[in-house]
Structure formats: C-alpha cells, structure tokens
Amino acid sequence: MATIDSLPPLSEVIKTHGLAAKKSLGQNFLLDLNLTAKIARQAGDLTGCDVLEVGPGPGGLTRGLLAEGARRVLAVEKDSRCLPALEEIAAAYPDQLTVINGDALEVNPLTALTPPIRIVANLPYNVGTELLVRWLTPKDWPPFWDSLTLMFQREVANRIVAEPGSKAYGRLAILAQWRCEARIVMSLPPEAFSPPPKVHSAVVHLQKRDKPLFEADPKVLSRVVAAGFNQRRKMLRASLKSVAPDIEDRLIASGIKPTERAEQVSIEQFCALARNIAAG
C-alpha cells in the first residue's frame, strides 16, 4: 500500500500504542491512509486554511489533512491513549499540529486557529449529531468555520441531505440546508473501519451560506421545527398548537395547509411560518 508520509502504517501505530478502539467512545478507526487522504480532499484546497479535527484517534485523517497541505490542524481528542501517536505526527509536521486532550463540546477552537477555518472529522458516533447541531446553530451567522466535511453513519448523512416528503426529512435537514449547501461526497462500507461498525458510513460536505436560504429568526424557526417534528404523524395544526393559539390561521397565511404533516413542509414554508409567528 502506498503511503502519504514517512510515518509508520496505522496498523503498526495502533499495535505499538495499544489503541484498541473503545465502543464507549464511539471509536471506529480508518486504517487506509489513502482513504483518509481522499476524505481530506473532500474539504477542498486546504492550503492557507486552518482545520479543526474532532476525534483523531491514532491520526489517520490528521495525517491526510497535513499531507494535503493544511496550514495548521487542531486535533481535539478525548482519549488520552491516543496522545503519544498524535505527538509523533506533530514531530513530523513541526508547528502544524496542535493536540488538545479534552471534550470537543467544551473546547473553543478559536484559541488555536485563525480563519479561514474548515472542520473535517470522522466524528465519534456518540456525539456526532450534537456537534453538528452546535456548529449549525451559533449565536451569530456566518459562523467561525467556512465548511464542514464530516463522516456520519449513513442514516444520519441521509437525514442531513433529505428533501421534503422523504422519510429521512426532518429537523436536521432543515437546520443544515437553511444555512448551508449540503451533499454526500463519499460512502464507506463497514470493512473500511477497525473494528467494522454494523452500519455503512458517509461523508457529508456542508458549505456555509453567507446568508440563510430564507429570512427567519433562528430561535423561532428552531422552536417551530422542533415542535412540528416532535409529533411527525400529527397534522401541523395539532403538533404546533402550543406554539401559537391561532396556529391554523398562521399556517394558512404562510401558505401551509393545516392538515399537512411536518415532513411535507418545505424549508421556505417553515421560514415563512417562523416570520409570521415572530411578527406577533
């Protein structure tokens, strides 16, 4: 197998440092360095960009990002067992890799990175969706990052890019597509990982929009969407009753049939409803 740098193969790194993947941390390691470099390339030209990586593990994707020309990589790793392996990568790429042993939900990446910033990660399965929602719902927009290139279980990836009327369409699709252009750029079978997960995986690339697709107050939109999809089988006039007492009139004014269900309503219509509710 060809290599992307002068460091040892990942299988050797894992053996040397005793890095058996932990199910409790949602770990599934990619061992093929050509594959990790291919994932890194899905983020676009990395020269002149800083990169935030979450859950680097033994550093396969980290090496791909650096080999593809990332200006600097901040790798946030909760598992302290992986630190020696990541330190070896840092030594091979002087002044280009910063490693933080901590929880990505609590780390402020702006203390170590300078814009333009891209986020590229094989996210741990147990925190992937929570991290994505946080990145998509900052207090201010545009966010600190330019793009997200993230690996998820295929089911989650499908939910991010889903269209109205489909079974996978829901809150995640609206949060992602309202503020980003989202597309699946790679699919990976279970055998690409060690240990192999029980599901297929996919890489999603989300490019931020300078302005959201349609005007809406983020908090109101989030509240409306959450209520609508919390009871997917109910008609919107019932599932959104708690949002506004005159919800049926507001739905009609927003071009939505009160008898429709949330999965039948487009992002544009949800935004129109959020504007209507915010107007009082």
Side-chain angles (χ1 to χ4, degrees):
M1 184 189 300
T3 186
I4 60 174
D5 54 35
S6 60
L7 292 163
L10 279 175
S11 56
E12 186 178 319
V13 172
I14 288 173
K15 185 177 180 181
T16 299
H17 297 287
L19 297 179
K22 283 188 176 182
K23 187 176 181 180
S24 62
L25 294 175
Q27 292 174 332
N28 296 90
F29 299 146
L30 281 168
L31 301 186
D32 187 336
L33 288 168
N34 294 307
L35 190 54
T36 61
K38 185 178 179 181
I39 294 169
R41 288 194 290 273
Q42 303 307 314
D45 184 1
L46 296 177
T47 55
C49 293
D50 283 5
V51 177
L52 169 63
E53 182 189 6
V54 175
L61 181 56
T62 314
R63 290 164 64 174
L65 293 167
L66 291 165
E68 289 298 318
R71 181 175 60 191
R72 173 177 290 278
V73 174
L74 171 63
V76 182
E77 178 54 64
K78 193 173 185 178
D79 187 356
S80 59
R81 298 178 307 150
C82 297
L83 299 184
L86 295 171
E87 287 167 4
E88 291 174 0
I89 302 172
Y93 292 90
D95 302 320
Q96 286 183 264
L97 175 61
T98 300
V99 180
I100 293 180
N101 182 203
D103 188 336
L105 295 169
E106 300 173 358
V107 171
N108 177 10
L110 294 179
T111 60
L113 299 178
T114 304
I117 298 169
R118 301 183 186 185
I119 301 178
V120 188
N122 171 14
L123 291 174
Y125 281 168
N126 54 359
V127 295
T129 303
E130 182 176 358
L131 281 168
L132 174 62
V133 170
R134 287 196 182 198
W135 289 327
L136 291 173
T137 56
K139 183 180 179 181
D140 300 307
W141 194 270
F144 72 87
W145 49 267
D146 285 350
S147 67
L148 308 172
T149 306
L150 309 171
M151 189 184 303
F152 296 97
Q153 296 179 45
R154 179 78 198 201
E155 179 187 352
V156 176
N158 288 340
R159 286 166 51 201
I160 294 169
V161 302
E163 296 183 354
S166 66
K167 188 176 179 181
Y169 182 68
R171 176 173 173 261
L172 204 54
I174 293 172
L175 289 179
Q177 296 173 41
W178 179 50
R179 285 175 157 175
C180 300
E181 294 179 25
R183 58 194 175 94
I184 293 176
V185 293
M186 276 181 69
S187 296
L188 295 95
E191 53 267 26
F193 300 84
S194 177
K198 295 180 180 180
V199 296
H200 282 67
S201 300
V203 178
V204 181
H205 181 75
L206 299 104
Q207 183 68 44
K208 74 174 182 183
R209 303 180 191 273
D210 290 333
K211 292 182 179 180
L213 200 53
F214 306 103
E215 184 182 345
D217 181 288
K219 289 184 178 179
V220 177
L221 179 62
S222 182
R223 183 159 55 95
V224 169
V225 170
F229 285 100
N230 189 44
Q231 303 179 71
R232 295 177 70 98
R233 295 182 181 180
K234 285 192 174 184
M235 290 182 254
L236 282 174
R237 65 184 178 194
S239 61
L240 295 180
K241 197 172 182 180
S242 62
V243 175
D246 56 345
I247 193 61
E248 189 158 346
D249 292 337
R250 292 179 182 273
L251 285 165
I252 294 170
S254 304
I256 303 169
K257 294 178 182 178
T259 55
E260 286 188 322
R261 297 186 300 276
E263 56 267 32
Q264 298 171 297
V265 178
S266 69
I267 298 173
E268 183 176 9
Q269 289 174 312
F270 267 119
C271 288
L273 179 59
R275 291 195 301 272
N276 183 291
I277 292 171

